[in-house]
Structures are given as C-alpha cells and as structure tokens.
Amino acid sequence: MDLSNELQSRAPKAKDPAGTCYIASLPDDILFEIFSTFLPDAMNELDTPFQKTLVAICRSWRNMVMGAPLLWTKIGVPSTSSQDTLLYFERSKPALIDVKFDTIWNRPKPERLRLIRDTLAKHLSRLRSLTVNGFAAGDVEAIFSRWKDRETPDLKTLDISSIQTIPGSRVPSWKDIDVRALQSLKLQGLDIQDFPHSPSLTFLDIKTMKLSPTNFQTLFEKFPLLNTLVIQNSPSDVSPPLPQEDHINLSKLNAPSLRSLAIDLGRDHTEDCGCMLPFLSVVMKDLEYLEVADFSSDLTPHLTSIFAQWVNLPRLQKLRIRISSPDVWMDDISFLSSLPKSTDLEIAHLPKEAAHAALVYVLGLTNLHSITFNLAPASYEETFYGNHRSRLDLDEFSSIVRRQKPKFGCPIILRLPGDKAVHPGLREIGGDSLTITTTPSAQSFLEASEYMAFYSDDDESMGNSNDGDPDYDSDFLEFIEREYEDYGYEVSEPNDSYDEEDEY
C-alpha cells in the first residue's frame, strides 16, 4: 500500500493562505487517528512498514510519530533485511505489542535469527499476539528457546506454522512457555503434545496435523475451556484402529465447553484408518455450530461412519456443509432429517452430478429452521482444485425445481451473484418460502485458511518523500543509526541470503 498517496487522496487539495496543505496543519491527535487506521497493514513484513514511511515524510510527522508508542505496536519482523524494524520494540514501550515473523520466503542467517529471538525475549512481558510462519520446526524452536522462566501475562493469541510438515515435528521449548492468559491458538504442521496446559484457551485451529484418538483426547485435557475447535485437512492416521477397551476409555472423553466444531475430513482416509474422526460424536452433544468440508472424490465406509454419528445434536443452531463428493450426497443423507428444529442448514457446495438425487429431498425437509443454498461465485479453494465447475448453480437449481415442482418444507434462501436474475417460475413455486439474497456468506472457519496473499516490496515507491530539505535523507539515516546503537543493537549490514550449512 502506498501510504503517501493514500493520505494525499484523503486530504483536501486546497491550501491555506500561507500555502500549506491542510493536512500539515492538523493537530497531532487527529493525525494519530488517521495513522492508526493503517496499523493492521503494518504486519506485512515484506512491505515497507508504514511507520517508516511516516517518519520519512517530514520532521513534524517524525516527531509526532516517534512520540506515539501506540503507532509502533504492530511489528512485522523481516527475516533478512530492515534491521531498524527491531527498534519498534523500543519505540512501542510501554504499550502491548503484536509481532509477526516469517522465515518461509527468506530464511535468515543464524546471527539474524538470534538477534530476533533475543529481542523478542526481552519484550515478552508486553507481547499480546505472536505469529510465526516457519519454514521448518527448527525455525519455530529457535524463536521459543529463550522463553523459559519469562512471563507473558498478556499473551492472548499465538499463530504458529511450519510448512515443512514432517510427522512428529516437535517444539520441545514449548513446555516452558507461559500461556496462562492465552485465548486463541493456531497450529500448522507441528505436534501439539509439547504444548503446555492452557487454562484460558477457548479457540483452537489445527492444520495438517495427524490426530490419533489419544492426541484428540489430549486436546481437551490441555484446554478445558475450549469453545471452538477447527481441524483443517486432518491427514489419515496409518496406525491401526483402537482395540475395544480403548474405545470404552475414549467414550469417557469430556468436552463440556465445546460449542463450535469445523472439520475438513481430508483426502486420504481409508477403511483401516486409525484416526479420531469416528469418535467425534463423543464431544458433539452440546454443539451449537458445526461445519464440515470434504474434498475427497470417493465415499469410503470410514467416511460413512463419520456422517452416521451426526444424528443426536439437540442444541445445533447452524450446520454448514461444503462437500464436493457426489457419492456422499447420493448415498445416505438421512442424518439431515434428524437435526433439531433450531438448525439453519447452509449448503455451500452441492455437486451438479448429485443434485437430481439430493435436491428434492433436501428441499422437502420439514425439521429445519431454514436452508440456504450458496449459488454465488466459487471460492478461491474451489477454483484452485477445479471443483467450481461441478457445483450446483442457479440455472441448474431453477431447472430441477421447475421440472419436479417440489414442496418446500421450510424457508429456503438462495444466495446468488448480484448480476443473476431468477426465473419467474422458480419464484412462483417457492412463493413466500423462497428468499433471494445477494449478501455474501460470512467467511467460514475452513475457508479462512485457504487464501494466500502475495505481496511485493514497495521500497522504491514508498518512503522517498521529504520536506524539501536537501540534507534530510542523510540526516534521517544518521538518526536511525544513532537510535539503533543507543538501544544496544549492533549496526551491520543485513544478510540477504541463507547458507544451508549454517545452524541456528
């Protein structure tokens, strides 16, 4: 984002009698409110930090921004450049901070990683949220290796991932961290067994992690107040199914606080899979929200046994289904008729191949509060996998309904693209039971992780403005170097390459 252009577009174009642009005459408190609107964008460590742009505009803005700790609380730490970003930890004192560190795109040199690790450890008492996107588990382990015996009383959110997924990837240093205040945890590709007991955790999102029944039980022992559980792309567990005595022990699993569950059933589960999916019913009795996605192409007895569990959900208020396998819809979806009257059913993906067999049955359900069909444009994930080509659209939906004229058993909502017109015959059949909306569906738990943003470095287009002083640029660079040294950091050129032989 080019902050300079954005600010100029917001400011009046006219000048006061002295020839000064009106934005230059705004009081500091107004400027602070304007600048604060850009704080969420400051976490992208691949772009020029917006704070760096602000202090490079003119001296008055520099003085104002340097004196406002809250403008330095969103810290995106580059792995290989922009060493002055670490100064944001000092400038943000005494405010709470949100930090993001990424080693996926550029792996840091060992000395750079140690500097980042030690700087973060120095400010743990002010840490409010931390995002670490590591290339491998070792990158994550390095960041947490200085947390022992340090308190993080205000740490509410952790988002930790490793894209180099190796079964059993562990982070031993986790057992020593303070997570007493932690409320939200997202993990990708890392084993959760080393993560400590978190008495305040209410939200857990785990991705690309094999969950055996034993590990599944461990989740609720570690996180007794867990309210929302999201399981993204849970791979098959190749271990053998549990013996009968272990089934009995698992049935004692207790999840009294769990109210929302979202699960991607994965793509490689087999009949002999030893995963925890057949035991979901043990923790589902008090669910109010359930979301399920399945991107596999084949219906196996293993998956059938999973759907068969969902027949006793007395408190369920919302069920969102995004299943692209026609076999599931054409096999047995009678579990839908067992849902309570309070349930709003949203069908985000109904394959065209199965629509003729399933649609009339679904429309005739009388036990639901409402049914919503998402006929809007395909999501990123569907487009990526090519599933959007087979998804039920408005034309096919209208054709089936007008031909078979089913009786709607409950209110039906069609979520459509804004440019689509509804056939009069469809409206006539639906009558008062049919509602048309173009309002986008709220982003689901499972879709939220499918999007990736690719950013480009805007260093050449940002931060080059000045106030007309020919010596301003060199003065600004000297100012940065002096501050860096004052805080005890060594001024050196950043390393822009990674040597695979270096160790952390």
Side-chain angles (χ1 to χ4, degrees):
M1 175 185 296
D2 192 329
L3 181 58
S4 304
N5 292 339
E6 180 71 14
L7 290 175
Q8 290 172 9
S9 68
R10 294 188 182 196
K13 300 303 180 183
K15 295 184 177 182
D16 65 17
T20 304
C21 184
Y22 280 127
I23 196 171
S25 63
L26 292 177
D28 285 353
D29 58 337
I30 300 299
L31 285 176
F32 174 83
E33 294 299 328
I34 294 174
F35 297 159
S36 294
T37 63
F38 293 92
L39 273 176
D41 298 319
M43 301 294 282
N44 181 13
E45 71 283 358
L46 297 182
D47 280 346
T48 300
F50 94 110
Q51 301 99 323
K52 183 176 181 180
T53 299
L54 293 178
V55 298
I57 298 297
C58 62
R59 286 189 176 87
S60 62
W61 279 23
R62 178 206 294 175
N63 293 336
M64 178 267 164
V65 172
M66 292 297 295
L70 290 178
L71 292 179
W72 301 92
T73 58
K74 305 292 186 182
I75 307 174
V77 182
S79 59
T80 59
S81 62
S82 301
Q83 61 185 0
D84 59 312
T85 304
L86 295 178
L87 295 174
Y88 299 0
F89 287 90
E90 303 291 345
R91 295 171 183 170
S92 61
K93 286 182 177 179
L96 299 180
I97 54 176
D98 303 291
V99 180
K100 180 180 179 182
F101 177 54
D102 194 321
T103 67
I104 294 177
W105 305 106
N106 293 293
R107 298 198 71 188
K109 283 281 191 174
E111 60 270 22
R112 174 68 179 174
L113 184 61
R114 286 193 291 268
L115 178 60
I116 295 170
R117 175 201 63 193
D118 294 343
T119 302
L120 179 61
K122 181 181 176 182
H123 298 274
L124 288 179
S125 62
R126 296 189 297 118
L127 189 62
R128 177 172 49 198
S129 71
L130 174 65
T131 299
V132 178
N133 296 324
F135 180 80
D139 300 354
V140 177
E141 168 69 15
I143 291 298
F144 286 94
S145 61
R146 290 290 187 271
W147 285 41
K148 186 177 182 180
D149 299 327
R150 297 177 185 265
E151 295 186 349
T152 55
D154 293 297
L155 180 60
K156 298 293 193 296
T157 304
L158 276 177
D159 186 343
I160 314 297
S161 65
S162 169
I163 64 168
Q164 191 181 61
T165 305
I166 300 175
S169 294
R170 300 179 61 178
V171 184
S173 59
W174 273 350
K175 65 181 182 297
D176 298 319
I177 67 177
D178 174 17
V179 290
R180 55 185 164 175
L182 191 66
Q183 297 176 359
S184 175
L185 173 63
K186 292 185 178 182
L187 289 181
Q188 175 178 346
L190 297 166
D191 198 311
I192 201 170
Q193 63 177 305
D194 292 313
F195 204 85
H197 175 79
S198 305
S200 301
L201 193 79
T202 59
F203 178 88
L204 175 62
D205 184 334
I206 51 180
K207 184 175 184 179
T208 319
M209 182 185 301
K210 291 186 176 181
L211 280 178
S212 66
T214 302
N215 286 341
F216 188 56
Q217 186 169 359
T218 300
L219 294 182
F220 298 100
E221 295 172 351
K222 287 178 178 288
F223 316 125
L225 295 184
L226 188 61
N227 176 275
T228 301
L229 174 60
V230 182
I231 302 175
Q232 309 262 10
N233 187 24
S234 174
S236 172
D237 192 320
V238 296
S239 59
L242 292 175
Q244 184 61 36
E245 57 270 20
D246 288 336
H247 287 188
I248 297 174
N249 293 335
L250 192 64
S251 68
K252 299 178 181 179
L253 176 63
N254 188 26
S257 300
L258 190 65
R259 296 295 179 269
S260 299
L261 173 65
I263 182 167
D264 172 359
L265 299 179
R267 301 174 176 83
D268 58 352
H269 293 264
T270 65
E271 188 171 358
D272 296 328
C273 178
C275 74
M276 87 301 174
L277 294 179
F279 306 100
L280 285 175
S281 59
V282 180
V283 299
M284 292 175 64
K285 58 185 178 181
D286 293 323
L287 283 187
E288 297 173 357
Y289 177 93
L290 175 60
E291 178 181 346
V292 58
D294 171 27
F295 305 107
S296 62
S297 58
D298 299 317
L299 180 66
T300 66
H302 183 69
L303 292 181
T304 301
S305 68
I306 295 167
F307 290 116
Q309 303 174 71
W310 302 348
V311 295
N312 185 25
L313 305 174
R315 299 186 181 183
L316 194 65
Q317 298 178 17
K318 177 68 176 286
L319 171 60
R320 190 175 194 275
I321 301 178
R322 188 158 65 104
I323 299 178
S324 57
S325 170
D327 293 341
V328 173
W329 292 99
M330 293 188 293
D331 181 66
D332 183 6
I333 54 175
S334 60
F335 71 91
L336 295 177
S337 64
S338 69
L339 298 175
K341 194 73 175 179
S342 60
T343 304
D344 290 307
L345 172 63
E346 179 179 356
I347 300 177
H349 187 124
L350 178 59
K352 286 184 179 181
E353 184 179 342
H356 289 271
L359 185 57
V360 173
Y361 173 81
V362 173
L363 291 173
L365 291 171
T366 60
N367 59 300
L368 300 174
H369 184 262
S370 70
I371 303 175
T372 299
F373 292 89
N374 184 11
L375 306 179
S379 68
Y380 168 86
E381 195 281 337
E382 289 174 315
T383 303
F384 183 83
Y385 286 105
N387 294 332
H388 64 291
R389 301 186 186 93
S390 65
R391 192 178 76 174
L392 180 68
D393 55 22
L394 175 60
D395 293 337
E396 188 71 14
F397 181 95
S398 178
S399 174
I400 294 174
V401 172
R402 287 186 290 114
R403 184 169 59 252
Q404 301 197 29
K405 296 180 173 58
K407 182 179 179 180
F408 292 0
C410 67
I412 303 297
I413 302 169
L414 299 185
R415 181 168 284 115
L416 307 178
D419 58 348
K420 285 288 187 178
V422 177
H423 193 284
L426 178 58
R427 289 187 180 274
E428 181 179 352
I429 294 172
D432 294 337
S433 297
L434 181 63
T435 300
I436 306 298
T437 181
T438 58
T439 304
S441 176
Q443 191 174 51
S444 73
F445 289 120
L446 297 178
E447 287 176 341
S449 70
E450 300 294 343
Y451 293 86
M452 292 187 64
F454 295 89
Y455 301 98
S456 60
D457 196 335
D458 293 328
D459 282 343
E460 295 182 359
S461 60
M462 298 181 65
N464 294 324
S465 302
N466 59 61
D467 58 358
D469 185 345
D471 297 323
Y472 179 78
D473 288 340
S474 59
D475 173 60
F476 172 68
L477 293 176
E478 291 176 2
F479 162 79
I480 290 293
E481 286 194 0
R482 286 197 304 272
E483 186 187 17
Y484 201 82
E485 292 173 335
D486 288 343
Y487 286 128
Y489 298 113
E490 180 182 354
V491 178
S492 60
E493 291 299 319
N495 295 293
D496 294 324
S497 61
Y498 175 76
D499 187 345
E500 293 290 347
E501 295 181 356
D502 286 326
E503 296 181 355
Y504 294 152

